Amino acid sequence: MDYSDSVQKVLLRKIRKAEQDLLQLKLDYCRFIFGLTHRARVQLDGQSYLVRSVDVESMRHLDDGSFSKPVIAGVPLDSPDSSQAMDLGTDWQLEPSGARAAAQGSA
């Protein structure tokens, strides 16, 4: 193996590690800034959904230095096990914690 192959392998490993770190940082940003956790509940057009996936690649840099909301996919809250996840876009709102507590109390 010559020197350039060795350097290429090291650089590729470092790039993959940096990409993984960036992905994790964006997921952390979504969790702490937007409140998106595993199984978070969001509202869109008056309906409640359980979040199934977060597309961090859809986040864009804003003029103030922050990131835009990510595109998410979710299933309707009233039928979470039987539904296919649907694209909810970026117009969703995190469900207020009071509404979540009331829904858990009635279940």
Side-chain angles (χ1 to χ4, degrees):
M1 177 187 302
D2 66 347
Y3 180 73
S4 65
D5 287 341
S6 176
V7 168
Q8 180 184 22
K9 287 182 181 184
V10 167
L11 290 174
L12 287 173
R13 264 196 320 270
K14 287 184 175 192
I15 289 169
R16 283 187 205 102
K17 173 74 169 112
E19 288 173 340
Q20 289 172 346
D21 289 347
L22 179 59
L23 174 66
Q24 186 59 53
L25 285 169
K26 284 184 173 182
L27 287 171
D28 289 346
Y29 188 90
C30 288
R31 181 178 326 123
F32 293 112
I33 303 304
F34 299 123
L36 290 175
T37 60
H38 179 67
R39 297 276 202 170
R41 295 177 184 193
V42 297
Q43 291 182 342
L44 177 68
D45 297 331
Q47 252 193 316
S48 294
Y49 297 88
L50 282 176
V51 175
R52 291 289 194 229
S53 66
V54 178
D55 179 11
V56 295
E57 295 300 320
S58 67
M59 297 168 65
R60 300 288 168 241
H61 288 277
L62 301 177
D63 290 339
D64 65 0
S66 63
F67 280 101
S68 66
K69 285 182 177 179
V71 170
I72 62 172
V75 294
L77 189 58
D78 57 1
S79 57
D81 296 326
S82 62
S83 301
Q84 286 272 3
M86 55 194 293
D87 183 10
L88 301 176
T90 59
D91 291 333
W92 51 268
Q93 295 295 321
L94 193 63
E95 191 172 85
S97 57
R100 281 182 266 164
Q104 288 174 348
S106 67

